[in-house]
Amino acid sequence: MATPPVIILLGAPGAGKGTQAKRIVERYGCLHVSTGDMLRGAVSAGTELGTLAKQFMDAGELVPDEVVIGIVRDRLAEADVQKRGVLLDGFPRTLAQADALGAVLEEVSLPLPVVVDMQVSEEEVVQRLSTRRMCRGCGSIYNLSREGLDVGDACPKCAGEIYQRDDDRAEAIRERMKVYNAQTAPLVEYYQSRGLILAVCAVGSVESVNDCVMAALSERLGG
Ligand code: AP5
């Protein structure tokens, strides 16, 4: 049986990780593990984890490493991940998380990751995030300037409520960019030095970025 893939989507907030993730998992049949979605789920469910995470997320800061590493470690140990492989979206985000991930992958006998670095300018991400809209029902990602859907509208896929994320306010976006540059951008060099990075220009239409991502991935993974 072919080895299940481990794909990491690296990139600034708003680079388009969630948008491309959905297409990649369809193509490779692997599971989509988004730490942002898991944490937002915990916030909506009002769990202890959600209460802890919300204060960091709303401020645009990172949730503490030990919390996020624990969630991902548990998820990667599950049988479906071992069988189908995984696409990690929003993890790792710090050097400590990257080291922990390396150890977990070895523990659970998954291969070295393929890391897609989605490159986009700060100006573009600020524009994208301030106009992003999401569906509360199915989690679909929209953009006011593309689909014209706004807060309170109904999702065309599931009729769920369209909303704007609390961390897509101007002040939180600025903080998230600062945090990305300080804590996550160094991971590009970390994975580059291990020969695991695929750099992709994430500017252009969703479809043209998808073509570039798929071309880069299929060179490394086949398929
Ligand atoms: P998370 O949910 O991971 O947010 P993020 O990394 O900031 O990424 P985003 O979801 O904002 O953007 P994206 O790259 O997925 O872009 P999208 O596809 O939506 O994390 C949120 C918070 O959770 C963090 O701040 C932190 O507090 C916490 N957290 C999560 N993981 C953590 C971790 N590992 N450690 C610690 N804390 C953690 O696209 C954005 C918009 O652009 C959309 O409107 C979309 O339609 C549009 N768009 C997409 N592609 C294109 C394109 N090619 N052209 C034009 N528009 C486009």
Side-chain angles (χ1 to χ4, degrees), residues 12-19 35-36 39-40 56-57 61-63 68 90-91 93 97 124 128-129 132 141-143 146 165 167 176 202 204-206 209:
K17 301 182 294 295
T19 302
T35 41
L39 293 168
R40 277 185 291 280
F56 293 101
M57 295 173 81
E61 290 163 12
L62 295 183
V63 173
V68 184
F91 184 94
R93 260 175 145 99
Q97 291 180 19
E124 174 79 13
R128 287 183 188 180
L129 292 178
R132 171 167 56 188
I141 303 167
Y142 297 108
N143 199 282
R146 204 177 46 236
R165 272 172 46 176
D167 61 353
R176 287 160 65 200
S205 69
V206 170
V209 172

Short mmCIF file of all heavy atoms in Angstrom, two decimals, residues 12-19 35-36 39-40 56-57 61-63 68 90-91 93 97 124 128-129 132 141-143 146 165 167 176 202 204-206 209, ligand 1:
data_model
loop_
_atom_site.label_atom_id
_atom_site.label_comp_id
_atom_site.label_asym_id
_atom_site.label_seq_id
_atom_site.Cartn_x
_atom_site.Cartn_y
_atom_site.Cartn_z
N ALA A 12 1.00 32.99 5.62
CA ALA A 12 0.45 34.03 6.49
C ALA A 12 -1.06 33.85 6.66
O ALA A 12 -1.70 33.18 5.84
CB ALA A 12 0.75 35.39 5.85
N PRO A 13 -1.63 34.48 7.68
CA PRO A 13 -3.09 34.50 7.79
C PRO A 13 -3.65 35.05 6.48
O PRO A 13 -3.13 36.04 5.94
CB PRO A 13 -3.35 35.51 8.92
CG PRO A 13 -2.08 35.63 9.67
CD PRO A 13 -0.97 35.28 8.73
N GLY A 14 -4.67 34.39 5.94
CA GLY A 14 -5.27 34.90 4.71
C GLY A 14 -4.54 34.50 3.44
O GLY A 14 -4.93 34.91 2.34
N ALA A 15 -3.49 33.69 3.55
CA ALA A 15 -2.76 33.28 2.34
C ALA A 15 -3.64 32.40 1.45
O ALA A 15 -3.36 32.21 0.27
CB ALA A 15 -1.49 32.55 2.72
N GLY A 16 -4.69 31.81 2.06
CA GLY A 16 -5.58 30.94 1.28
C GLY A 16 -5.42 29.47 1.67
O GLY A 16 -5.80 28.58 0.91
N LYS A 17 -4.91 29.21 2.88
CA LYS A 17 -4.66 27.83 3.31
C LYS A 17 -5.96 27.02 3.38
O LYS A 17 -6.05 25.93 2.84
CB LYS A 17 -3.96 27.82 4.69
CG LYS A 17 -2.63 28.57 4.70
CD LYS A 17 -1.94 28.51 6.04
CE LYS A 17 -2.66 29.22 7.17
NZ LYS A 17 -2.77 30.69 6.99
N GLY A 18 -6.96 27.59 4.05
CA GLY A 18 -8.24 26.87 4.18
C GLY A 18 -8.89 26.64 2.83
O GLY A 18 -9.43 25.57 2.55
N THR A 19 -8.80 27.65 1.96
CA THR A 19 -9.41 27.55 0.62
C THR A 19 -8.76 26.42 -0.18
O THR A 19 -9.45 25.59 -0.78
CB THR A 19 -9.23 28.90 -0.12
OG1 THR A 19 -9.83 29.93 0.67
CG2 THR A 19 -9.83 28.88 -1.51
N THR A 35 -6.00 23.40 12.90
CA THR A 35 -6.03 23.74 14.34
C THR A 35 -6.97 24.93 14.57
O THR A 35 -7.66 24.99 15.58
CB THR A 35 -4.61 24.03 14.87
OG1 THR A 35 -3.89 24.80 13.91
CG2 THR A 35 -3.88 22.74 15.16
N GLY A 36 -7.03 25.87 13.61
CA GLY A 36 -7.95 27.00 13.76
C GLY A 36 -9.39 26.51 13.84
O GLY A 36 -10.16 26.93 14.72
N LEU A 39 -10.03 24.75 17.17
CA LEU A 39 -10.14 25.70 18.29
C LEU A 39 -11.46 26.47 18.21
O LEU A 39 -12.13 26.67 19.22
CB LEU A 39 -8.94 26.65 18.30
CG LEU A 39 -7.59 25.99 18.61
CD1 LEU A 39 -6.43 26.94 18.32
CD2 LEU A 39 -7.53 25.54 20.08
N ARG A 40 -11.86 26.88 16.98
CA ARG A 40 -13.15 27.59 16.84
C ARG A 40 -14.30 26.66 17.23
O ARG A 40 -15.28 27.10 17.83
CB ARG A 40 -13.34 28.11 15.41
CG ARG A 40 -12.64 29.45 15.16
CD ARG A 40 -12.94 30.01 13.78
NE ARG A 40 -12.32 29.23 12.72
CZ ARG A 40 -11.04 29.32 12.37
NH1 ARG A 40 -10.24 30.18 12.96
NH2 ARG A 40 -10.55 28.56 11.40
N PHE A 56 -6.98 34.25 23.41
CA PHE A 56 -5.80 34.40 22.56
C PHE A 56 -6.23 34.67 21.11
O PHE A 56 -5.68 35.53 20.44
CB PHE A 56 -4.96 33.11 22.59
CG PHE A 56 -4.34 32.85 23.93
CD1 PHE A 56 -4.89 31.93 24.81
CD2 PHE A 56 -3.19 33.53 24.34
CE1 PHE A 56 -4.34 31.67 26.05
CE2 PHE A 56 -2.62 33.28 25.59
CZ PHE A 56 -3.20 32.36 26.45
N MET A 57 -7.22 33.91 20.65
CA MET A 57 -7.63 34.02 19.24
C MET A 57 -8.20 35.41 18.94
O MET A 57 -7.86 36.02 17.93
CB MET A 57 -8.67 32.95 18.92
CG MET A 57 -8.08 31.56 19.03
SD MET A 57 -9.32 30.28 18.87
CE MET A 57 -9.50 30.19 17.10
N GLU A 61 -3.43 36.48 18.94
CA GLU A 61 -2.22 35.83 19.46
C GLU A 61 -2.32 34.31 19.31
O GLU A 61 -3.41 33.78 19.09
CB GLU A 61 -2.04 36.17 20.94
CG GLU A 61 -1.67 37.62 21.14
CD GLU A 61 -1.90 38.08 22.57
OE1 GLU A 61 -2.12 37.21 23.43
OE2 GLU A 61 -1.86 39.30 22.78
N LEU A 62 -1.18 33.63 19.49
CA LEU A 62 -1.19 32.18 19.39
C LEU A 62 -1.65 31.56 20.70
O LEU A 62 -1.31 32.04 21.79
CB LEU A 62 0.20 31.64 19.05
CG LEU A 62 0.77 32.03 17.69
CD1 LEU A 62 2.13 31.35 17.47
CD2 LEU A 62 -0.18 31.65 16.56
N VAL A 63 -2.39 30.47 20.59
CA VAL A 63 -2.77 29.67 21.75
C VAL A 63 -1.47 28.97 22.21
O VAL A 63 -0.64 28.60 21.37
CB VAL A 63 -3.87 28.66 21.33
CG1 VAL A 63 -4.19 27.68 22.44
CG2 VAL A 63 -5.12 29.42 20.89
N VAL A 68 -1.91 23.33 21.96
CA VAL A 68 -2.12 22.96 20.55
C VAL A 68 -1.38 21.67 20.21
O VAL A 68 -1.92 20.81 19.49
CB VAL A 68 -1.64 24.12 19.63
CG1 VAL A 68 -1.94 23.81 18.18
CG2 VAL A 68 -2.31 25.41 20.02
N GLY A 90 -2.47 25.30 9.39
CA GLY A 90 -2.35 26.16 10.58
C GLY A 90 -1.50 25.54 11.67
O GLY A 90 -1.40 26.09 12.77
N PHE A 91 -0.86 24.44 11.41
CA PHE A 91 0.04 23.77 12.34
C PHE A 91 1.16 23.12 11.53
O PHE A 91 0.84 22.47 10.53
CB PHE A 91 -0.69 22.70 13.16
CG PHE A 91 0.17 22.05 14.21
CD1 PHE A 91 0.18 22.53 15.50
CD2 PHE A 91 0.98 20.96 13.89
CE1 PHE A 91 0.98 21.94 16.48
CE2 PHE A 91 1.80 20.37 14.86
CZ PHE A 91 1.79 20.87 16.16
N ARG A 93 3.15 26.25 13.87
CA ARG A 93 3.22 27.71 13.78
C ARG A 93 4.37 28.29 14.57
O ARG A 93 4.55 29.50 14.55
CB ARG A 93 1.94 28.28 14.36
CG ARG A 93 0.91 28.69 13.36
CD ARG A 93 -0.30 29.10 14.16
NE ARG A 93 -1.00 30.18 13.55
CZ ARG A 93 -2.10 29.99 12.81
NH1 ARG A 93 -2.55 28.80 12.57
NH2 ARG A 93 -2.71 31.03 12.33
N GLN A 97 6.48 23.83 17.98
CA GLN A 97 5.45 22.97 17.38
C GLN A 97 6.05 22.11 16.26
O GLN A 97 5.70 20.94 16.10
CB GLN A 97 4.29 23.81 16.83
CG GLN A 97 3.47 24.49 17.91
CD GLN A 97 2.32 25.32 17.35
OE1 GLN A 97 1.90 25.15 16.21
NE2 GLN A 97 1.79 26.22 18.16
N GLU A 124 -2.00 42.21 0.39
CA GLU A 124 -3.04 41.31 -0.14
C GLU A 124 -3.78 40.60 1.00
O GLU A 124 -5.01 40.47 0.98
CB GLU A 124 -2.37 40.29 -1.07
CG GLU A 124 -3.28 39.19 -1.60
CD GLU A 124 -4.17 39.61 -2.77
OE1 GLU A 124 -3.93 40.68 -3.34
OE2 GLU A 124 -5.13 38.85 -3.08
N ARG A 128 -7.77 40.59 1.87
CA ARG A 128 -8.56 39.35 1.86
C ARG A 128 -9.26 39.11 3.20
O ARG A 128 -10.41 38.69 3.23
CB ARG A 128 -7.64 38.15 1.60
CG ARG A 128 -7.16 38.05 0.18
CD ARG A 128 -6.33 36.77 0.05
NE ARG A 128 -5.67 36.70 -1.24
CZ ARG A 128 -4.91 35.70 -1.60
NH1 ARG A 128 -4.69 34.69 -0.78
NH2 ARG A 128 -4.33 35.69 -2.79
N LEU A 129 -8.53 39.36 4.29
CA LEU A 129 -9.11 39.03 5.60
C LEU A 129 -10.22 40.00 5.98
O LEU A 129 -11.21 39.60 6.60
CB LEU A 129 -8.03 39.02 6.69
CG LEU A 129 -7.02 37.88 6.57
CD1 LEU A 129 -5.96 37.98 7.65
CD2 LEU A 129 -7.71 36.52 6.65
N ARG A 132 -13.23 38.72 4.21
CA ARG A 132 -13.60 37.29 4.31
C ARG A 132 -14.92 37.14 5.05
O ARG A 132 -15.20 37.81 6.03
CB ARG A 132 -12.53 36.50 5.06
CG ARG A 132 -13.00 35.07 5.35
CD ARG A 132 -11.91 34.16 5.81
NE ARG A 132 -11.21 34.65 6.97
CZ ARG A 132 -10.13 34.09 7.46
NH1 ARG A 132 -9.60 33.03 6.88
NH2 ARG A 132 -9.54 34.60 8.53
N ILE A 141 -15.73 29.01 3.05
CA ILE A 141 -15.02 30.30 3.11
C ILE A 141 -15.43 31.12 1.89
O ILE A 141 -15.32 30.65 0.75
CB ILE A 141 -13.50 30.07 3.07
CG1 ILE A 141 -13.06 29.15 4.22
CG2 ILE A 141 -12.75 31.39 3.12
CD1 ILE A 141 -11.64 28.61 4.07
N TYR A 142 -15.87 32.34 2.13
CA TYR A 142 -16.28 33.23 1.04
C TYR A 142 -15.52 34.54 1.13
O TYR A 142 -14.79 34.79 2.09
CB TYR A 142 -17.79 33.52 1.12
CG TYR A 142 -18.65 32.29 0.96
CD1 TYR A 142 -19.33 31.75 2.04
CD2 TYR A 142 -18.79 31.69 -0.29
CE1 TYR A 142 -20.14 30.62 1.89
CE2 TYR A 142 -19.60 30.56 -0.45
CZ TYR A 142 -20.27 30.04 0.64
OH TYR A 142 -21.04 28.92 0.48
N ASN A 143 -15.71 35.37 0.12
CA ASN A 143 -15.15 36.71 0.19
C ASN A 143 -16.17 37.69 -0.36
O ASN A 143 -16.73 37.47 -1.44
CB ASN A 143 -13.84 36.80 -0.60
CG ASN A 143 -13.05 38.01 -0.16
OD1 ASN A 143 -13.35 39.12 -0.57
ND2 ASN A 143 -12.07 37.80 0.71
N ARG A 146 -15.77 38.80 -3.81
CA ARG A 146 -15.93 37.80 -4.89
C ARG A 146 -17.37 37.31 -5.00
O ARG A 146 -17.99 37.43 -6.04
CB ARG A 146 -14.96 36.64 -4.64
CG ARG A 146 -14.59 35.86 -5.88
CD ARG A 146 -13.57 34.77 -5.61
NE ARG A 146 -13.92 33.99 -4.45
CZ ARG A 146 -13.12 33.80 -3.40
NH1 ARG A 146 -11.92 34.36 -3.38
NH2 ARG A 146 -13.50 33.08 -2.38
N ARG A 165 -15.44 36.40 11.08
CA ARG A 165 -14.67 35.92 12.24
C ARG A 165 -14.27 37.08 13.15
O ARG A 165 -13.95 38.17 12.68
CB ARG A 165 -13.40 35.19 11.76
CG ARG A 165 -13.64 33.73 11.52
CD ARG A 165 -12.49 33.00 10.86
NE ARG A 165 -11.16 33.25 11.40
CZ ARG A 165 -10.06 32.62 10.98
NH1 ARG A 165 -10.15 31.68 10.05
NH2 ARG A 165 -8.88 32.90 11.48
N ASP A 167 -11.62 37.47 14.73
CA ASP A 167 -10.22 37.90 14.55
C ASP A 167 -9.97 38.50 13.16
O ASP A 167 -8.84 38.73 12.77
CB ASP A 167 -9.24 36.75 14.85
CG ASP A 167 -9.42 35.54 13.93
OD1 ASP A 167 -10.39 35.51 13.14
OD2 ASP A 167 -8.59 34.62 14.00
N ARG A 176 -2.06 39.52 14.12
CA ARG A 176 -1.79 38.19 13.56
C ARG A 176 -0.61 38.25 12.58
O ARG A 176 0.19 37.31 12.51
CB ARG A 176 -3.05 37.66 12.85
CG ARG A 176 -4.11 37.22 13.85
CD ARG A 176 -5.48 37.15 13.22
NE ARG A 176 -5.62 36.15 12.21
CZ ARG A 176 -6.57 36.15 11.27
NH1 ARG A 176 -7.46 37.14 11.24
NH2 ARG A 176 -6.63 35.19 10.39
N ALA A 202 0.98 32.49 -4.07
CA ALA A 202 -0.45 32.34 -3.72
C ALA A 202 -1.28 33.53 -4.17
O ALA A 202 -2.34 33.80 -3.62
CB ALA A 202 -0.59 32.10 -2.23
N GLY A 204 -3.27 35.50 -7.37
CA GLY A 204 -3.96 35.13 -8.60
C GLY A 204 -5.29 34.52 -8.20
O GLY A 204 -5.62 34.48 -7.00
N SER A 205 -6.04 34.03 -9.15
CA SER A 205 -7.36 33.48 -8.80
C SER A 205 -7.18 32.21 -7.97
O SER A 205 -6.12 31.58 -7.99
CB SER A 205 -8.13 33.14 -10.08
OG SER A 205 -7.50 32.05 -10.71
N VAL A 206 -8.25 31.84 -7.24
CA VAL A 206 -8.21 30.61 -6.44
C VAL A 206 -7.83 29.43 -7.34
O VAL A 206 -7.02 28.57 -6.97
CB VAL A 206 -9.58 30.37 -5.76
CG1 VAL A 206 -9.65 29.00 -5.12
CG2 VAL A 206 -9.86 31.46 -4.73
N VAL A 209 -4.06 29.55 -8.38
CA VAL A 209 -3.20 29.15 -7.25
C VAL A 209 -3.31 27.64 -7.06
O VAL A 209 -2.32 26.94 -6.84
CB VAL A 209 -3.61 29.90 -5.95
CG1 VAL A 209 -2.85 29.36 -4.75
CG2 VAL A 209 -3.38 31.41 -6.10
P1 AP5 B 1 -6.36 29.93 11.70
O1 AP5 B 1 -7.80 29.62 11.59
O2 AP5 B 1 -5.36 28.90 11.35
O3 AP5 B 1 -6.12 31.27 10.91
P2 AP5 B 1 -4.90 31.80 10.02
O4 AP5 B 1 -3.67 30.99 9.89
O5 AP5 B 1 -4.72 33.16 10.52
O6 AP5 B 1 -5.41 31.60 8.64
P3 AP5 B 1 -6.75 32.07 8.12
O7 AP5 B 1 -7.79 31.01 8.39
O8 AP5 B 1 -7.06 33.45 8.60
O9 AP5 B 1 -6.46 32.20 6.57
P4 AP5 B 1 -6.25 31.14 5.42
O10 AP5 B 1 -4.82 31.14 4.99
O11 AP5 B 1 -6.87 29.81 5.76
O12 AP5 B 1 -7.08 31.86 4.29
P5 AP5 B 1 -8.53 31.54 3.68
O13 AP5 B 1 -8.45 30.33 2.80
O14 AP5 B 1 -9.59 31.58 4.73
O15 AP5 B 1 -6.01 30.40 13.20
C1 AP5 B 1 -6.82 31.32 13.90
C2 AP5 B 1 -6.27 31.49 15.31
O16 AP5 B 1 -6.30 30.22 16.02
C3 AP5 B 1 -4.81 31.94 15.42
O17 AP5 B 1 -4.68 33.34 15.33
C4 AP5 B 1 -4.43 31.40 16.80
O18 AP5 B 1 -4.95 32.20 17.84
C5 AP5 B 1 -5.17 30.07 16.86
N1 AP5 B 1 -4.34 28.96 16.32
C6 AP5 B 1 -4.61 28.20 15.23
N2 AP5 B 1 -3.62 27.32 15.03
C7 AP5 B 1 -2.71 27.52 16.02
C8 AP5 B 1 -1.46 26.93 16.32
N3 AP5 B 1 -0.94 25.96 15.56
N4 AP5 B 1 -0.79 27.41 17.39
C9 AP5 B 1 -1.29 28.37 18.18
N5 AP5 B 1 -2.47 29.00 17.93
C10 AP5 B 1 -3.17 28.56 16.86
O19 AP5 B 1 -8.68 32.81 2.72
C11 AP5 B 1 -8.81 34.11 3.26
C12 AP5 B 1 -9.73 34.95 2.36
O20 AP5 B 1 -9.08 35.12 1.10
C13 AP5 B 1 -11.08 34.28 2.06
O21 AP5 B 1 -12.08 35.28 1.97
C14 AP5 B 1 -10.87 33.61 0.68
O22 AP5 B 1 -12.08 33.51 -0.05
C15 AP5 B 1 -9.90 34.58 0.05
N6 AP5 B 1 -8.97 33.95 -0.91
C16 AP5 B 1 -8.38 32.72 -0.80
N7 AP5 B 1 -7.59 32.51 -1.87
C17 AP5 B 1 -7.67 33.62 -2.65
C18 AP5 B 1 -7.08 34.01 -3.89
N8 AP5 B 1 -6.23 33.20 -4.57
N9 AP5 B 1 -7.37 35.23 -4.39
C19 AP5 B 1 -8.24 36.07 -3.73
N10 AP5 B 1 -8.85 35.76 -2.57
C20 AP5 B 1 -8.56 34.55 -2.03
#
